[in-house]
Amino acid sequence: MWASCVRVVPLSSLDSDRELNCVPGSDRKHPLIKSSVQSCLQTVDSCSFVVFKSLMPRKKVSRKDAEEENGVPFKQRRMDSKDVPSPFDFSSPSSFFQSLINPLEMDEFFQEYWEKKPLFLQRSNLAVAAYYQTLFNISDLKRLCDYGLEYTTDLNVCRCINGKKKVMNREGRVVYSQLKKDFDQKRATIQFHQPQRFKDELWRIQEQLECFFGSLVGSNVYITPQEAQGLPPHYDDVEVFILQLEGEKHWRLYQPTVPLAREYSLEPEERISSPTHDITLKPGDLLYFPRGTIHQADTPVGVDHSTHLTISTYQNMSWGDFLLDVFPGFLFDSMKSNINIRTGLPRKFIMDAGPLPDTTRQLSGFLRLLADRMDQGQEELRSAGMKRDFMSNRLPPYLLEGADITPEGRMPALEDTVSLRYKDHVLLTVEPSQERTDEPAEMVVYVLHSLKNNRKTHMMGEHDDDDEEKLSENHGLRFPISHLAALRQLHSSERHPVAGLPLELNSDKLNLALSLWTEGLLQVC
């Protein structure tokens, strides 16, 4: 059974409802950099710059580029919060999340609430409420409509009628006067998709959360008029944080019919019995609930309108998803060294109407053998898509978007101590080389990073066919498998001497450092 919700007084909050849904660097012409990188390329295949596609499918959305149609550069479309002090601690991802759920301790949150039960944090701090109101409001929406928003792509207009969702979108561009008319007269809810594309403070918040969770973090803004409800009772496949920005919202939460659900689904009211939580959020309040939690919300009588922000994460991030990701590669590697798994199926096996009597026994034996190999660490577990998908689709570091990623400081030398930059935006993956040759693919190490990701497409899927390849690419470097230990040391250490990297040749140590520095990922301490 779920315990009753927690009520506390000051600080932060978040809100949710649904729908997540070769030589790098602009200074590569510099003679010193050019000569160093040429030396690196000649010495070993350790600094090849590669771009490779994400293998995991993304939801495709048709969209024209609004900035081209309006002649308005995207940077001019970004909208900053007013000069209101933030209650959040942005010094690190962990510090940020702790400030988000204050005064509850982080350990208690993950032990008692995460994936288990809802949490309600009630604030009474006017300064905090004032900050949340700057994150998004109706005036922001009015200004954004001038820059070519489109129905379905950028926002939905909907209303819950007799327990069903009625979508009231029009065709093409969003005209604010018509949008406001539907809002006022038809009591329609406006669902604005991924506001972090336009609001810098939301970019800052969600970038911190993606670093903290190691998972994509999306958001939606819901603006609902008085005495109206936008969505019928439903549950989501994401962990949800709800932040009340303006007005009040009445929420009812129900016991899950599918705990930790992997799909979005509507739930008829007759199936959900009585609510476990019946609460009203006011500006500054935070509500969290796990995926699978059935919920519905409406704007109470006497409240002009409600604006809340939903922040959602952990979609397709279960152990089952990880098994689906790593098991094919592990099985393929195991087949190379075990002749029993390579023996052929019985004749006409796949033509039989049902499995042969000993099929289950044979397969369970193979699975036990694979489990033993996994326990013994005989094969490297390697991601087939989760890492690439996350790194290619996440937000770039805050304040880096649009800036050239150039080397920081002077070039590293063998006697220098160095550190990895933007460590939360860098990951390593071991996989077969993606070079197209007639030879069997060799195992290599890829250093993936998100420094060059595009904020304006974050969580928006693939838009135009012409941009499909560009939107799904990864940025990074490829190194021989012999460099794996050295790269892991750099990633796990705050500072590391170049000469102390676990590589045999000093030239390899220096070339590794130069490759990372040229990509903007390394600096001399």
Side-chain angles (χ1 to χ4, degrees):
M1 295 294 292
W2 288 342
S4 58
C5 51
V6 173
R7 292 174 181 264
V8 295
V9 183
L11 242 125
S12 144
S13 67
L14 242 96
D15 149 31
S16 164
D17 203 293
R18 158 71 192 175
E19 273 152 48
L20 283 163
N21 311 328
C22 154
V23 181
S26 60
D27 291 340
R28 56 182 174 270
K29 294 183 180 179
H30 190 286
L32 288 177
I33 299 176
K34 183 177 180 181
S35 62
S36 298
V37 175
Q38 286 175 341
S39 171
C40 170
L41 289 168
Q42 293 169 359
T43 305
V44 64
D45 179 23
S46 65
C47 61
S48 317
F49 176 67
V50 293
V51 174
F52 45 95
K53 295 181 180 180
S54 166
L55 299 185
M56 298 186 73
R58 309 294 299 170
K59 183 179 180 181
K60 192 172 185 64
V61 181
S62 176
R63 172 188 171 91
K64 293 182 179 179
D65 194 329
E67 58 191 90
E68 286 185 6
E69 296 177 4
N70 293 275
V72 180
F74 183 79
K75 285 185 179 180
Q76 295 181 21
R77 298 167 61 190
R78 291 184 353 200
M79 306 167 70
D80 298 319
S81 297
K82 299 175 184 178
D83 189 20
V84 176
S86 171
F88 296 141
D89 180 355
F90 288 96
S91 59
S92 71
S94 293
S95 298
F96 170 79
F97 187 76
Q98 178 58 71
S99 66
L100 173 66
I101 62 171
N102 274 346
L104 189 70
E105 291 296 325
M106 194 186 309
D107 288 345
E108 182 180 356
F109 173 79
F110 285 104
Q111 290 172 8
E112 300 296 328
Y113 296 97
W114 178 254
E115 296 189 326
K116 297 181 180 70
K117 61 185 178 183
L119 167 69
F120 174 41
L121 298 180
Q122 189 176 41
R123 325 289 192 181
S124 60
N125 189 317
L126 295 180
V128 173
Y131 168 78
Y132 291 140
Q133 188 173 5
T134 69
L135 296 179
F136 202 96
N137 52 56
I138 287 184
S139 61
D140 290 334
L141 182 62
K142 182 177 181 180
R143 282 183 286 168
L144 285 172
C145 286
D146 295 335
Y147 295 129
L149 300 181
E150 294 184 2
Y151 284 100
T152 304
T153 301
D154 293 300
L155 61 81
N156 282 330
V157 178
C158 58
R159 185 181 174 190
C160 177
I161 301 177
N162 297 324
K164 295 183 179 180
K165 177 182 177 181
K166 180 180 180 181
V167 178
M168 307 163 67
N169 289 349
R170 299 177 183 271
E171 294 293 328
R173 295 282 189 85
V174 178
V175 177
Y176 181 75
S177 58
Q178 183 62 60
L179 184 66
K180 190 68 164 59
K181 184 177 180 181
D182 290 339
F183 180 81
D184 292 334
Q185 297 182 6
K186 298 183 179 180
R187 296 166 59 202
T189 289
I190 301 169
Q191 178 190 27
F192 187 80
H193 305 315
Q194 311 305 338
Q196 71 278 5
R197 296 177 292 147
F198 307 98
K199 298 283 287 188
D200 284 357
E201 195 69 1
L202 292 179
W203 170 20
R204 188 184 185 193
I205 287 170
Q206 288 177 236
E207 184 256 349
Q208 288 281 302
L209 288 173
E210 287 188 335
C211 291
F212 179 75
F213 285 113
S215 173
L216 294 176
V217 175
S219 68
N220 287 286
V221 167
Y222 293 84
I223 307 176
T224 304
Q226 179 178 185
E227 224 176 333
Q229 180 170 331
L231 301 174
H234 66 281
Y235 59 80
D236 300 310
D237 57 350
V238 287
E239 301 296 306
V240 170
F241 295 86
I242 297 173
L243 172 64
Q244 188 67 26
L245 306 183
E246 297 179 308
E248 299 179 7
K249 201 66 174 284
H250 171 226
W251 287 83
R252 284 167 288 170
L253 311 182
Y254 305 84
Q255 192 80 21
T257 54
V258 184
L260 301 182
R262 296 194 74 252
E263 296 178 327
Y264 165 88
S265 180
L266 299 177
E267 281 286 21
E269 294 236 24
E270 56 268 19
R271 289 190 56 191
I272 58 181
S273 67
S274 301
T276 58
H277 298 73
D278 191 317
I279 55 181
T280 298
L281 267 63
K282 298 180 180 181
D285 288 349
L286 176 144
L287 176 64
Y288 158 80
F289 49 82
R291 55 193 187 275
T293 302
I294 303 167
H295 55 280
Q296 60 179 324
D298 60 90
T299 302
V301 179
V303 176
D304 180 69
H305 72 276
S306 165
T307 303
H308 77 261
L309 172 73
T310 75
I311 293 185
S312 309
T313 190
Y314 254 59
Q315 186 179 49
N316 299 332
M317 287 292 290
S318 68
W319 281 109
D321 293 299
F322 184 67
L323 275 173
L324 290 171
D325 186 48
V326 302
F327 190 76
F330 180 75
L331 176 59
F332 182 80
D333 292 340
S334 299
M335 289 174 67
K336 296 178 182 178
S337 57
N338 190 288
I339 191 172
N340 291 325
I341 306 179
R342 299 200 305 270
T343 56
L345 293 169
R347 288 183 303 106
K348 303 180 70 173
F349 178 82
I350 61 174
M351 298 172 64
D352 289 333
L356 297 177
D358 62 344
T359 298
T360 301
R361 178 181 56 81
Q362 188 86 343
L363 289 177
S364 62
F366 288 147
L367 290 174
R368 280 191 289 270
L369 183 147
L370 292 171
D372 291 340
R373 291 180 63 83
M374 195 174 291
D375 283 339
Q376 297 163 13
Q378 295 182 22
E379 302 289 348
E380 179 93 17
L381 287 178
R382 46 189 173 88
S383 172
M386 289 181 76
K387 288 185 175 182
R388 287 192 296 272
D389 182 73
F390 172 54
M391 197 54 64
S392 64
N393 291 288
R394 63 179 298 191
L395 284 163
Y398 178 66
L399 294 185
L400 270 183
E401 189 229 16
D404 291 329
I405 309 301
T406 56
E408 175 76 11
R410 62 180 177 84
M411 285 192 301
L414 193 62
E415 61 273 14
D416 285 328
T417 296
V418 295
S419 63
L420 205 60
R421 303 173 69 203
Y422 309 112
K423 193 176 295 186
D424 287 328
H425 288 265
V426 178
L427 61 79
L428 310 178
T429 178
V430 176
E431 55 192 281
S433 171
Q434 297 184 12
E435 284 190 339
R436 296 179 180 178
T437 66
D438 294 333
E439 300 296 325
E442 62 177 342
M443 300 302 292
V444 295
V445 185
Y446 288 105
V447 179
L448 310 182
H449 66 79
S450 57
L451 273 61
K452 300 176 184 178
N453 285 7
N454 191 342
R455 168 196 174 191
K456 71 176 181 178
T457 60
H458 182 246
M459 299 300 293
M460 293 299 290
E462 296 168 353
H463 307 302
D464 298 318
D465 291 339
D466 294 340
D467 294 334
E468 182 172 338
E469 181 174 348
K470 184 177 180 181
L471 290 172
S472 60
E473 67 185 15
N474 284 123
H475 299 281
L477 298 171
R478 184 189 64 206
F479 295 93
I481 195 68
S482 59
H483 287 48
L484 178 59
L487 287 165
R488 282 176 171 168
Q489 282 194 8
L490 286 171
H491 197 273
S492 61
S493 305
E494 291 299 321
R495 298 157 55 94
H496 202 287
V498 176
L501 293 172
L503 291 167
E504 291 186 5
L505 301 177
N506 285 338
S507 59
D508 287 349
K509 300 173 184 178
L510 182 57
N511 288 333
L512 172 61
L514 286 172
S515 300
L516 296 171
W517 174 79
T518 308
E519 184 73 354
L521 299 176
L522 198 76
Q523 62 185 358
V524 176
C525 298

